[in-house]
Amino acid sequence: LTPQPFTTYKSDEKSLSVEYPNDWQITENANNVTFKSPPESSSDRFQEAFRVLKVPYKSSLSALTDKIVGEATANLPSFQIINSSDTVLGGIPANSLVYRYTDSRVGTLQEMVIHTIKDDSAYIIGYTAELPKYTYYLPVIQEMINSIELSDN
């Protein structure tokens, strides 16, 4: 992976700032922002993605973890948890889940979801990649995660 210069994405609306590779594509809507890796070739069927979702939430971190696992179990074919652990996101206690599932178009996908709660909002960070490419993009994703700042609402 050739290191790319990073650019800062900042949204006051989402109380968020994150550094991302400047050759990645950004898609934004009201409550989330998605960063997609550039296609590796003309036959690349899946662009690895890093998403940040902010939604109103007034419960505990463990309840949020249970909700995410419950929805994934119900909706993702062949869902399998690889790892679940405590972590920190933007200086706030968080949970990290890594899991795999089957996508009918591209095969096995692996996803990391890090989630936390701040000021009655849940921040859900997701990194999705084709299984063979997951570790390839992980250093860039870790840099993006480490750069996240969650400002006050």
Side-chain angles (χ1 to χ4, degrees), residues 25-151:
Q25 173 187 342
I26 298 179
T27 308
E28 242 186 314
N29 67 32
N31 65 352
N32 75 57
V33 58
T34 301
F35 305 86
K36 286 192 173 181
S37 66
E40 293 158 35
S41 69
S42 58
S43 62
D44 190 0
R45 294 180 305 167
F46 187 85
Q47 287 177 270
E48 285 62 34
F50 180 85
R51 280 177 321 287
V52 181
L53 171 68
K54 178 186 176 187
V55 291
Y57 191 77
K58 293 186 187 310
S59 192
S60 69
L61 184 59
S62 62
L64 180 58
T65 302
D66 291 346
K67 180 178 165 94
I68 290 168
V69 170
E71 287 179 6
T73 302
N75 296 309
L76 300 175
S78 306
F79 174 77
Q80 174 190 3
I81 293 178
I82 307 299
N83 186 34
S84 177
S85 60
D86 294 330
T87 189
V88 173
L89 182 68
I92 302 167
N95 181 272
S96 173
L97 289 167
V98 178
Y99 53 83
R100 290 181 187 155
Y101 61 97
T102 304
D103 179 279
S104 59
R105 225 173 29 90
V106 295
T108 302
L109 295 177
Q110 186 157 310
E111 187 159 352
M112 175 187 351
V113 175
I114 300 174
H115 49 282
T116 193
I117 299 165
K118 182 176 183 193
D119 300 329
D120 293 332
S121 290
Y123 289 86
I124 303 166
I125 313 304
Y127 161 51
T128 310
E130 291 173 283
L131 184 56
K133 307 237 177 84
Y134 183 85
T135 54
Y136 178 77
Y137 283 96
L138 201 51
V140 169
I141 297 302
Q142 278 304 149
E143 198 169 333
M144 292 173 76
I145 291 168
N146 293 343
S147 78
I148 288 177
E149 292 180 16
L150 305 175
S151 55

Side-chain angles (χ1 to χ4, degrees), residues 10-17 54 118-119 121 123 148-153:
K10 188 169 176 41
S11 168
D12 293 336
E13 185 181 315
K14 295 176 187 66
S15 310
L16 169 74
S17 140
K54 178 186 176 187
K118 182 176 183 193
D119 300 329
S121 290
Y123 289 86
I148 288 177
E149 292 180 16
L150 305 175
S151 55
D152 294 330
N153 287 349

